[in-house]
Amino acid sequence: MSVVPSSLSFNSSVATSQNDSQDDAEPTKVKNYLKERLKSRIFLGRYVERRLADKRIGYRDVVIISAAEVSLKKDLFDVQHKLVAICPNTHWIGITDTESLGYSPGICLWTEIDNQPFGPFWFQIKSLKFRDGEVMVTLKCLRHISDAFLEVEPILTGAAKKTKPTENTDKKLENSVAALNETYSDFVETLKGFLSISNVKEFITFLLAFVIAIFTGSTSFINFLGNFILALLREFSILVKNSTPMFLGLLDFFSKIVGGFYILLAMLFRQSAPVPSMNKRTVGVYDRSRRSYNDQYDDRQFD
């Protein structure tokens, strides 16, 4: 009698464990299916900004998918709905619409991009990454879009600009008006406090003290400047008086040097005095007297 209930309880536990394993295997199959569905898909998009997704998640890079990628956008919306169904406890799914960010209607991906500038790119989907409380579509930047292609694809040039809804504009206008009113009221209160009797009395006292200080300071400065100029003139006159003899002696010394130099030049270039010419008569008398002397004295007499 006791064997039947025990066997029934064992069968029920086995069935429960099988159901749990089937329940765990079902989301895994769906996740793998979604990964294979998006893997290696190439699309056109624009890397627009880096924004704080959530305090728990942190900052993520926002990529807006081109409006020309119709099939990919449809698949992404389908993947988003299935992720919400199989991952109800997931805090953040990195597939959202662009209207919540203030852009024109479309779809965007919240991902991680390293060392790439903002602008249009050819992207490739690597896979779906399941983290604790987050599902992220990982991308690979294949190529930056050239300017020639931007002319053909206006979605990437102008449609990704932020739109300003009228509600946000009205709220900003109301906030600015409230801020101006608050600033005006603060200014009026400050002006009233400044124009009190005690403040006016203190201001007049400060002004009188400031004027007196300027007057006394100017008088002292003028007195000091006059004394300084007089002392400077006196010292300069003493300097001129003591340096005048030395200056005159120096001038005399240089004048003597220059005069001696000119005298030396005059002596070098002076013409020599002419030799006086001899008279013919004197020369004849001198020759006759010499000849008679030679005749009278013969050198052979001394031999």
Side-chain angles (χ1 to χ4, degrees):
M1 296 294 293
S2 62
V3 176
V4 176
S6 61
S7 63
L8 291 175
S9 62
F10 176 74
N11 292 331
S12 62
S13 62
V14 170
T16 304
S17 62
Q18 289 179 355
N19 291 329
D20 293 337
S21 62
Q22 290 178 359
D23 293 338
D24 294 336
E26 188 67 24
T28 304
K29 291 181 180 179
V30 175
K31 290 179 182 179
N32 293 331
Y33 167 72
L34 296 178
K35 287 181 180 180
E36 293 297 329
R37 186 174 180 180
L38 296 178
K39 187 177 180 180
S40 301
R41 296 283 294 272
I42 298 175
F43 66 94
L44 193 61
R46 175 180 283 273
Y47 176 27
V48 290
E49 62 178 325
R50 185 174 180 84
R51 179 175 290 203
L52 180 64
D54 189 80
K55 293 182 179 180
R56 293 171 54 186
I57 303 302
Y59 285 89
R60 292 291 181 267
D61 299 305
V62 180
V63 175
I64 296 178
I65 298 176
S66 173
E69 304 289 345
V70 180
S71 60
L72 179 61
K73 291 171 67 176
K74 183 179 179 181
D75 293 340
L76 286 173
F77 277 120
D78 190 13
V79 169
Q80 182 187 18
H81 293 313
K82 289 184 178 180
L83 287 174
V84 172
I86 65 173
C87 302
N89 297 325
T90 302
H91 181 70
W92 180 263
I93 297 176
I95 303 173
T96 61
D97 57 350
T98 56
E99 294 180 358
S100 59
L101 302 178
Y103 294 97
S104 57
I107 189 170
C108 63
L109 302 177
W110 299 70
T111 183
E112 292 179 348
I113 298 176
D114 296 331
N115 301 325
Q116 294 294 341
F118 295 142
F121 284 88
W122 283 108
F123 293 99
Q124 184 180 18
I125 299 176
K126 292 182 179 180
S127 179
L128 281 176
K129 184 179 289 186
F130 294 90
R131 293 179 176 176
D132 187 13
E134 180 188 8
V135 179
M136 184 177 65
V137 181
T138 58
L139 300 179
K140 178 182 179 181
C141 297
L142 297 179
R143 181 184 175 187
H144 192 271
I145 301 299
S146 61
D147 295 335
F149 192 85
L150 292 178
E151 297 178 357
V152 183
E153 182 59 38
I155 301 298
L156 299 178
T157 57
K161 295 181 179 179
K162 287 189 175 182
T163 59
K164 297 182 179 179
T166 56
E167 295 180 358
N168 295 334
T169 305
D170 295 337
K171 289 182 180 179
K172 290 182 179 179
L173 182 60
E174 292 177 359
N175 293 331
S176 61
V177 171
L180 288 175
N181 292 330
E182 185 178 358
T183 304
Y184 176 74
S185 61
D186 293 339
F187 176 75
V188 171
E189 291 178 359
T190 305
L191 187 62
K192 288 180 180 179
F194 178 74
L195 294 178
S196 62
I197 297 174
S198 60
N199 290 336
V200 172
K201 187 185 296 184
E202 291 178 359
F203 177 73
I204 294 173
T205 304
F206 170 76
L207 188 62
L208 291 175
F210 182 71
V211 171
I212 293 171
I214 290 177
F215 179 75
T216 54
S218 301
T219 305
S220 300
F221 177 74
I222 292 172
N223 188 15
F224 171 77
L225 185 62
N227 293 331
F228 176 76
I229 292 174
L230 291 175
L232 182 64
L233 292 175
R234 182 173 61 84
E235 296 297 331
F236 184 72
S237 63
I238 293 172
L239 176 64
V240 172
K241 182 179 179 181
N242 293 331
S243 61
T244 299
M246 183 178 65
F247 182 71
L248 293 176
L250 188 63
L251 286 178
D252 186 33
F253 174 73
F254 281 110
S255 64
K256 288 181 179 180
I257 291 176
V258 174
F261 179 72
Y262 278 113
I263 292 172
L264 181 62
L265 290 178
M267 292 178 66
L268 290 175
F269 292 99
R270 186 180 63 180
Q271 295 181 358
S272 60
V275 179
S277 59
M278 298 179 65
N279 194 355
K280 293 181 179 181
R281 295 179 180 178
T282 307
V283 172
V285 174
Y286 176 75
D287 291 337
R288 285 195 301 270
S289 61
R290 185 176 180 182
R291 189 180 300 113
S292 62
Y293 177 78
N294 291 331
D295 294 338
Q296 187 177 358
Y297 295 98
D298 191 2
D299 294 335
R300 290 177 296 177
Q301 294 177 1
F302 295 96
D303 293 337

